[in-house]
């Protein structure tokens, strides 16, 4: 049996006295898609940011593909292997889509411009917006921007992808085009840790669903079990609220 | 009124040569000082927002020092006090230079202006959403690469209008250089007045110089703003 590609071990983090994460442990095997859900402020974004070392934690550790984030001496190198997608896309507004996608492959990975553009166009094509490569992000629809952001992360050919509410800033008609890309990615075997309240997506591809509240994992269950028979009252309540909204 | 206007004298020698020299001195003094100020300002402004407490302290002290002492006083300090701090042979070399007042003015105006540009840079960087920093780092860029390729280009576009007004201020501030003996356009005007008693004509030339340059600078910056315009950039809150 191989080791999990992400091991989150008893993670604890406080922002000046306020406990945002309180002993979170979670293993993700290569090729798995784990969905994380929970109410606002429960620490989901903070948890994802600990995985690629964007947040300093005080307790526990995260081990990604054998590298301890706590002891990591070369964070840029670690982060290159971990793609991240944000709620507000965070494309660089002053660059074209192609420049957005090629920046890190050129500067961080050392690819030539031609090689980086070839890789970028491959992934832009995969997310269905190769024809938008020359435009600035501000000229794209929200759904196209988020797909460009996914291509930017994929262009580094990461082993793991982190998604932080990738569709919650989108208009309803654009949500499905982004979810479609994510579904394909999950089915192609990408390891994914996804914070989302899109329960339809979770039902389709999630191997497990993790429910967080107040900085802790309250419940973790196989997808079918989570929907049919949540163990905890809080998870059931949350599920009702989320499903009622759709 | 029995003042006799004599506009023709402005194109006769020696006045014409003096005026041309004065205008050029004002222009290159402003341009050189502004370029140095911009580079220093970007560096100090970056210190102000860096993760290192030492750099932040240095940046803060720099800005407070150069922003709060009046430029006129700074010019005198650079001219009379700063050279005393140099090693003896360096001081000798400096004092033998042809254009000590000119370079003193360049230094004084550059440092003063850089503190103001540093503040503009800091404000612009603080206006950039946290997510941009996180996105850049998440792709494996080092902090230096992140500032160089993402944050600074973004910040400079945000602060372009402020940079324009800063340049116009530098340009007007060059008039203070006359107090330490630089023959820029305003000093030249006074020289012409003393020489010919034709002050109105000379001051008109100085005013027109400032006006024409202001218009030209605004024109160039408007063009630049249009070129660097970020299509569809909507600033969102938070
Ligand atoms: N930099 C910070 N400084 C102080 N407190 C913070 C900081 N970042 C997050 N927090 C707090 O930590 C808690 C967890 O935040 P986090 O963003 O991880 O929640 P979340 O589950 O992602 O919520 P949401 O669904 O609203 O995105 C919140 O109460 C938040 O206010
Ligand atoms: Mg969040």
């Amino acid at each position: 049996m191989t080791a999990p590609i992400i091991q989150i071990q008893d993670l604890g983090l406080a922002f000046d006295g306020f406990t945002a994460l309180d002993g979170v442990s979670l293993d993700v095997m290569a090729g798995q898609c784990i969905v994380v859900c929970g109410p606002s402020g429960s620490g989901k974004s903070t948890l994802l940011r600990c995985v690629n070392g964007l947040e300093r934690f005080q307790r526990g550790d995260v081990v990604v593909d054998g590298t301890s984030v706590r002891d990591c001496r070369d964070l840029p190198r670690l982060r290159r292997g971990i793609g991240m997608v944000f709620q507000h896309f965070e494309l660089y507004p002053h660059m074209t889509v192609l420049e957005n996608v090629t920046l890190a492959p050129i500067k961080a990975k050392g690819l030539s411009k031609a090689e980086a553009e070839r890789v970028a166009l491959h992934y832009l094509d995969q997310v269905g917006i190769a024809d938008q490569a020359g435009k600035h992000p501000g000229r794209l629809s929200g759904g196209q921007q988020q797909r460009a952001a996914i291509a930017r992360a994929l262009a580094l050919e990461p082993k793991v992808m982190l998604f932080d509410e990738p569709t919650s800033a989108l208009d309803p008609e654009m949500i499905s085009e982004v979810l479609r890309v994510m579904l394909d990615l999950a089915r192609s075997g990408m390891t994914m840790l996804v914070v989302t309240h899109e329960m339809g997506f979770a039902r389709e591809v999630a191997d497990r669903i993790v429910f967080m509240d107040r900085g802790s994992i309250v419940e973790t269950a196989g997808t079918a079990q989570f929907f049919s028979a949540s163990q905890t009252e809080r998870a059931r309540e949350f599920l009702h609220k989320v499903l009622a909204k759709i | 009124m029995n003042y006799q206007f004599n506009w023709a004298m402005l194109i006769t020698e020696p006045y014409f040569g003096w005026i041309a020299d004065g205008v050029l001195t004002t222009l290159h003094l402003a341009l050189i000082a502004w370029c140095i100020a911009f580079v220093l300002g970007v560096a100090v402004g970056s210190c102000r927002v860096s993760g290192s407490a030492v750099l932040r302290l240095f940046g803060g002290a720099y800005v407070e020092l150069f922003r709060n002492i009046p430029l006129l006083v700074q010019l005198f300090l650079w001219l009379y006090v700063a050279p005393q701090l140099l090693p003896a042979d360096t001081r000798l070399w400096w004092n033998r230079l042809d254009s000590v007042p000119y370079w003193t003015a360049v230094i004084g105006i550059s440092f003063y202006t850089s503190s103001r540009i540093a503040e503009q840079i800091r404000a612009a960087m603080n206006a950039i959403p946290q997510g941009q920093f996180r996105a850049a780092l998440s792709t494996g860029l080092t902090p230096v690469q992140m500032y160089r390729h993402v944050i600074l280009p973004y910040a400079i576009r945000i602060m372009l209008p402020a940079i324009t007004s800063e340049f116009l201020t530098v340009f007007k501030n060059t008039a203070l250089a006359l107090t330490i003996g630089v023959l820029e356009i305003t000093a030249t005007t006074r020289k012409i007045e003393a020489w010919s008693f034709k002050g109105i004509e000379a001051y008109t030339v100085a005013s027109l110089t400032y006006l024409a340059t202001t218009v030209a600078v605004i024109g160039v910056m408007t063009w630049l703003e249009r070129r660097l315009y970020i299509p569809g950039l909507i600033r969102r809150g938070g």
Side-chain angles (χ1 to χ4, degrees), chain B residues 28-153:
Chain B
H28 56 69
L29 177 57
L31 209 61
I32 296 174
W34 190 85
C35 290
I36 298 175
F38 184 74
V39 174
L40 283 176
V42 167
V44 174
S46 303
C47 289
R48 291 278 268 162
V49 295
S50 88
S52 145
V54 177
L55 285 182
R56 279 203 306 274
L57 193 71
F58 163 77
Y62 182 102
V63 167
E64 293 312 324
L65 182 67
F66 289 109
R67 196 176 51 166
N68 291 327
I69 302 176
L71 176 56
L72 191 60
V73 176
Q74 289 190 37
L75 289 176
F76 284 115
L77 288 175
W78 284 113
L79 188 66
Y80 298 118
V81 181
Q84 306 302 320
L85 307 174
L86 293 171
D89 42 351
T90 317
R91 186 166 66 232
L92 216 59
W93 165 82
W94 171 255
N95 285 337
R96 284 212 194 109
L97 283 184
D98 271 344
S99 39
V100 169
Y102 177 82
W103 290 109
T104 303
V106 167
I107 294 172
I109 296 173
S110 301
F111 275 80
Y112 174 76
T113 308
S114 68
S115 67
R116 300 169 52 101
I117 291 182
E119 280 306 272
Q120 310 278 9
I121 289 268
R122 183 171 76 117
M125 284 192 190
N126 286 339
I128 297 176
Q130 272 300 309
Q132 292 278 305
F133 293 77
R134 291 186 178 132
L137 291 176
S138 79
T139 58
L141 296 183
T142 63
V144 170
Q145 289 172 330
M146 168 185 79
Y147 278 109
R148 161 78 183 77
H149 299 289
V150 178
I151 304 303
L152 273 177

Side-chain angles (χ1 to χ4, degrees), chain A residues 44-45 87 164-165:
Chain A
K44 308 178 298 289
S45 302
Q87 183 174 1
D164 191 0
E165 305 205 37

Side-chain angles (χ1 to χ4, degrees), chain A residues 95-98 100 131-140 144, chain B residues 231:
Chain A
M95 297 181 194
T96 64
V97 168
L98 188 64
N100 265 273
D131 54 331
Q132 310 290 327
K135 293 191 187 166
H136 280 80
R139 292 271 184 260
L140 270 52
Q144 289 172 325

